[in-house]
Amino acid sequence: IAIKIKHVSPNDIVIDWKNPTPGTYTHAVEWGTKPDDEFVPLDFFPPSVSSYKHPDLMWSTPCFYRIRALYGPVSNEVEVKLS
């Protein structure tokens, strides 16, 4: 997946991506502060969407992004009750 990032204001960026792989069910946009640490999912998009605006970034925080292509339909919800 090819990713392009651009500033659209001093604190906002837009991420655009292209996925040449057919059969993608959804894309996960993920963010982290270190490239080799855990990433946080920001949102999930259908294949027809290829752009995400990440607003209100802090100046001194490094930001790393990745887009993951996910395949197959989503499972049904499962309720969990802790006792």
Side-chain angles (χ1 to χ4, degrees):
I1 299 176
I3 301 172
K4 291 183 182 180
I5 298 176
K6 60 185 169 190
H7 280 97
V8 292
S9 75
N11 295 331
D12 303 338
I13 62 153
V14 170
I15 304 165
D16 294 307
W17 63 89
K18 281 190 174 183
N19 182 6
T21 308
T24 300
Y25 194 78
T26 190
H27 289 105
V29 177
E30 299 177 332
W31 168 85
T33 57
K34 296 178 183 175
D36 56 352
D37 204 355
E38 290 191 34
F39 279 70
V40 176
L42 296 174
D43 215 334
F44 296 88
F45 297 98
S48 59
V49 176
S50 60
S51 185
Y52 174 77
K53 182 179 180 180
H54 196 185
D56 304 321
L57 297 171
M58 293 188 291
W59 277 95
S60 60
T61 303
C63 296
F64 296 87
Y65 296 89
R66 67 183 182 192
I67 309 297
R68 289 193 311 138
L70 304 172
Y71 301 91
V74 177
S75 67
N76 292 330
E77 301 89 16
V78 176
E79 182 178 350
V80 176
K81 291 183 181 183
L82 302 175
S83 53

